[in-house]
Amino acid sequence: MSMSSEEETDISESEMEEYADTWYQKLKESYGKEKISGKVYRCPFCPGKKQQAYSFHDLVQHSWGVNTASSRKVNDKGKHLGLSRYLNNDLLRKDSIPMSDEMKTELQPTHHGNDVDEKYAFPWMGIVANLPIEWKDGRYVGKSGSGLRDELTSKGFSPQRVHPLWNYKGHSGKAVVEFENNWNGFANAIKFQKNFESQHQGKRDYLSPPDKGDKLYGWVAKADDYNSSGIIGDYLRKTVDLKSISEVEAEEKRKTNSLVSNLSNTIEAKRRSLMEIESKCNETSMSIKNVMRQRDEMVQQYNEDLQRMAKNAHDQLEKMFKEQEKSKSYFEARRKELELREKELVEREALNDNQRQELHLLKQMNEKAAMEQKKLDESVLVLAEEQKKAKETLRQKNMELQKKLDLKQALELEIERLTGAMQVTKHMGDGQDVKKKLDEIEESLKEKKEELEALEALNQTLVVKQQMASVELNDARKELIDGMKENTSRALISVKRMGELEDLRNNKLGREATLSEGITYLLQQLKASKAKKR
């Protein structure tokens, strides 16, 4: 037969503690009736329920759930409170049941029935009353909250802070205990309350008329404490809210959903940003490829032009040397011819004075022409050699300048690439590896910029040297102009004065004559002069 089958009358809330003690003693006297077999137990007060078999752990939860349910009758709550005390104080020790971590914390309560709608002070708060105080210097004084906090911590309740409550008389003898703002904090708060209740030092015990002595009383702050008119209610209304378990769970769910939504939006924004950066990197890569292709085309064109210029210069010098050899052969043959004629005239002894004078004059003219030809040949050789050296110097300077320009262009492209890489790295986050990689890119970018500055200074030096080589070519051109000032404007190549400047003109083509055209014209004039003297 069930222990609850006997007739009984309803009791009030103030009688519940005494009622629970009565049933606690009955359970101790009838030890073993709650056990079915081995480690299987039953609730002696709920014979008609569907669940009849409980583990020890589940039976503890069941007794606590009924005890704290606001919808249950006071009689049922008192019986199950006595059962809870019996399970924890007697059965646990007698049956040598090992205590798990969950049993040590007496479990976070499972919320059945209307428990989820019961209002608690949130963040979770506990109340400690009957703290020792004394009258001193016209007011009540007591210990600081840190001492009580350390004491509660040593018992395993893990409070965050303890706030003693003061009024105009001084220390009120009450304090508010603040627990963690999570489910661990709630479990600690419930364990805190059950510990005091198991020693008859809960809220009901504190509100009962008998003398309280020097014992501390404690309980979890709920709606009745929050709405009370005393110092406890005033403090709670200023610092916390009233929330049910279901409301806390709903708020946590809302925050979780909001966090998930925000994270999803952030991830999507990062994804779009990375796609944009990837697109820009692809555009930069295509731009670099186009620039490199154009550079290769420019280098190829430059090499072809350089080879063509070198071939033209070689052909021109070859032509000049051939003309020089022809002139030498002509004057040598002419000299031998005149010597032969002189010998014939001497041998004949039939020459008159006029013939001798004419012959002598011809010899002088020939010698003078030969001397002039020799000087002209030397001048042409010097000019040709200077032209060759100047062109070679200019070619080398151009090649060196082109190499430096290529290097400068490559450095600029590398700087652009590193800048793009740095922008990509900045969007990857703030991790340690990302910061390290970003520092490496910035250091490399700094080195490339320093190399670019040094290269620009070197390019400036090469430009100056190129200008000096151009001046040397202009000096050679000026010497040629000085030697052709006597030519008239009707000649193929002549000197034309433009204000204070003198320039070689190609009268046939109506433009400025090149240095090569001037030298070629001199050789042609020399050849024509030889033909006339024949």
Side-chain angles (χ1 to χ4, degrees):
M1 175 180 262
S2 169
M3 295 185 68
S4 61
S5 61
E6 58 187 77
E7 295 184 1
E8 57 185 13
T9 58
D10 293 337
I11 61 172
S12 63
E13 284 282 346
S14 59
E15 297 174 319
M16 189 176 70
E17 284 293 331
E18 183 178 354
Y19 189 73
D21 284 339
T22 300
W23 279 105
Y24 171 61
Q25 294 299 327
K26 290 181 178 181
L27 288 168
K28 288 176 66 177
E29 293 170 359
S30 60
Y31 166 75
K33 291 186 177 181
E34 71 288 344
K35 181 182 294 187
I36 297 176
S37 64
K39 296 183 178 180
V40 182
Y41 300 84
R42 64 179 179 83
C43 177
F45 306 119
C46 302
K49 299 294 182 181
K50 292 182 179 180
Q51 182 174 355
Q52 292 295 316
Y54 296 87
S55 66
F56 180 85
H57 175 79
D58 292 337
L59 187 57
V60 170
Q61 276 193 318
H62 168 72
S63 63
W64 174 251
V66 175
N67 176 43
T68 57
S70 58
S71 60
R72 300 298 291 265
K73 291 182 178 180
V74 179
N75 298 50
D76 291 337
K77 292 168 68 175
K79 292 176 182 178
H80 284 82
L81 177 59
L83 175 61
S84 178
R85 292 175 182 174
Y86 169 70
L87 292 174
N88 286 283
N89 296 338
D90 299 88
L91 191 61
L92 181 67
R93 175 175 53 81
K94 291 180 180 179
D95 284 8
S96 300
I97 298 173
M99 294 183 67
S100 63
D101 291 338
E102 291 179 331
M103 290 171 64
K104 288 179 181 178
T105 57
E106 297 183 29
L107 303 171
Q108 295 183 20
T110 55
H111 309 296
H112 303 287
N114 294 330
D115 286 356
V116 293
D117 297 322
E118 187 174 10
K119 300 289 185 178
Y120 291 83
F122 186 80
W124 318 114
M125 298 288 179
I127 308 297
V128 178
N130 203 39
L131 291 168
I133 56 176
E134 60 178 330
W135 184 260
K136 186 176 181 180
D137 298 331
R139 63 195 306 247
Y140 288 104
V141 296
K143 294 183 179 180
S144 65
S146 59
L148 179 58
R149 181 197 62 199
D150 295 340
E151 181 180 349
L152 295 176
T153 300
S154 66
K155 294 181 179 181
F157 303 137
S158 302
Q160 297 295 295
R161 282 169 290 276
V162 174
H163 305 281
L165 301 180
W166 298 71
N167 55 23
Y168 68 96
K169 294 181 179 180
H171 199 300
S172 65
K174 301 181 180 65
V176 174
V177 181
E178 181 179 345
F179 296 93
E180 286 183 292
N181 188 17
N182 53 37
W183 291 117
N184 287 335
F186 180 72
N188 288 328
I190 295 300
K191 182 170 66 173
F192 160 85
Q193 175 175 280
K194 290 176 63 179
N195 178 267
F196 278 100
E197 288 178 345
S198 66
Q199 301 176 44
H200 303 286
Q201 295 170 234
K203 184 176 182 179
R204 293 188 183 92
D205 303 295
Y206 177 74
L207 296 177
S208 61
D211 182 33
K212 299 174 180 58
D214 57 357
K215 296 187 297 182
L216 298 183
Y217 293 81
W219 61 89
V220 174
K222 298 183 181 179
D224 53 349
D225 301 297
Y226 183 91
N227 295 319
S228 65
S229 59
I231 191 171
I232 294 176
D234 293 341
Y235 180 84
L236 293 177
R237 285 190 294 273
K238 291 178 182 179
T239 56
V240 299
D241 298 320
L242 278 180
K243 290 187 179 181
S244 65
I245 302 299
S246 59
E247 288 174 339
V248 174
E249 291 175 341
E251 183 176 356
E252 285 193 352
K253 183 177 181 181
R254 180 187 60 78
K255 289 181 179 178
T256 301
N257 292 337
S258 176
L259 178 61
V260 171
S261 177
N262 291 337
L263 289 175
S264 299
N265 293 336
T266 301
I267 292 172
E268 178 62 22
K270 291 287 186 181
R271 186 186 66 81
R272 289 197 298 267
S273 177
L274 287 175
M275 289 180 63
E276 292 176 1
I277 293 174
E278 183 179 0
S279 176
K280 291 181 180 179
C281 287
N282 291 335
E283 293 176 1
T284 302
S285 178
M286 291 297 298
S287 176
I288 291 174
K289 290 180 180 178
N290 292 333
V291 170
M292 295 301 294
R293 178 179 55 78
Q294 295 173 2
R295 169 194 167 278
D296 292 340
E297 293 175 354
M298 290 172 61
V299 170
Q300 182 179 359
Q301 183 64 37
Y302 172 78
N303 291 334
E304 292 175 356
D305 293 342
L306 197 61
Q307 292 176 0
R308 185 168 55 254
M309 290 173 59
K311 185 177 182 303
N312 292 340
H314 179 269
D315 294 343
Q316 189 68 29
L317 288 174
E318 188 70 24
K319 185 177 179 181
M320 290 171 62
F321 287 134
K322 289 181 180 180
E323 291 291 338
Q324 182 185 15
E325 290 298 326
K326 289 180 181 180
S327 297
K328 287 182 179 180
S329 300
Y330 169 76
F331 283 112
E332 182 65 24
R334 183 65 173 167
R335 184 185 64 78
K336 290 180 179 180
E337 181 184 350
L338 290 174
E339 288 177 351
L340 181 60
R341 287 180 63 185
E342 181 181 12
K343 183 178 180 181
E344 290 176 353
L345 288 174
V346 171
E347 290 177 351
R348 290 177 185 178
E349 296 180 353
L351 298 175
N352 56 27
D353 293 338
N354 290 334
Q355 287 177 329
R356 289 191 186 98
Q357 290 179 359
E358 182 181 356
L359 181 60
H360 181 68
L361 180 59
L362 287 174
K363 286 177 67 177
Q364 288 181 342
M365 290 177 64
N366 186 67
E367 290 174 358
K368 184 178 180 181
M371 291 296 292
E372 290 179 356
Q373 178 62 39
K374 183 178 180 181
K375 291 180 180 180
L376 183 59
D377 290 345
E378 292 174 354
S379 177
V380 169
L381 289 173
V382 171
L383 287 175
E385 187 64 26
E386 289 179 353
Q387 181 192 26
K388 181 178 179 182
K389 291 181 179 179
K391 285 187 175 180
E392 179 62 23
T393 300
L394 185 58
R395 183 184 70 82
Q396 291 178 355
K397 298 302 181 183
N398 283 336
M399 290 182 66
E400 187 174 357
L401 181 59
Q402 182 63 36
K403 290 179 181 178
K404 299 305 179 182
L405 288 175
D406 291 344
L407 183 55
K408 177 183 177 183
Q409 190 176 44
L411 283 174
E412 290 175 346
L413 292 174
E414 181 65 12
I415 289 173
E416 183 177 357
R417 184 189 70 78
L418 289 174
T419 302
M422 183 169 65
Q423 293 298 323
V424 172
T425 306
K426 285 182 178 179
H427 283 81
M428 290 174 66
D430 298 326
Q432 187 65 30
D433 292 339
V434 173
K435 290 183 178 178
K436 182 178 179 181
K437 184 175 181 182
L438 188 59
D439 292 340
E440 292 175 356
I441 293 176
E442 290 178 346
E443 182 64 25
S444 178
L445 186 59
K446 180 180 178 182
E447 292 176 358
K448 296 298 181 183
K449 289 183 177 179
E450 291 175 353
E451 290 180 13
L452 182 59
E453 292 175 359
L455 188 58
E456 288 178 346
L458 181 57
N459 285 343
Q460 186 64 28
T461 302
L462 291 175
V463 170
V464 172
K465 290 184 178 181
Q466 186 183 29
Q467 292 174 351
M468 292 174 66
S470 298
V471 170
E472 292 177 2
L473 283 176
N474 289 334
D475 290 343
R477 186 180 186 86
K478 184 176 180 183
E479 290 183 15
L480 182 60
I481 290 173
D482 292 340
M484 299 184 66
K485 284 184 178 179
E486 296 180 358
N487 288 3
T488 65
S489 60
R490 294 181 180 179
L492 178 62
I493 303 295
S494 64
V495 178
K496 183 176 182 180
R497 189 172 185 83
M498 304 290 291
E500 296 182 356
L501 301 176
E502 292 178 335
D503 197 5
L504 286 176
R505 297 292 298 175
N506 188 322
N507 295 319
K508 182 179 179 180
L509 300 179
R511 60 172 173 77
E512 181 181 354
T514 65
L515 187 60
S516 297
E517 290 174 342
I519 294 173
T520 302
Y521 178 71
L522 280 178
L523 293 174
Q524 292 174 351
Q525 288 295 97
L526 180 59
K527 185 176 181 181
S529 176
K530 292 176 182 179
K532 289 181 181 179
K533 291 178 181 180
R534 289 178 184 174

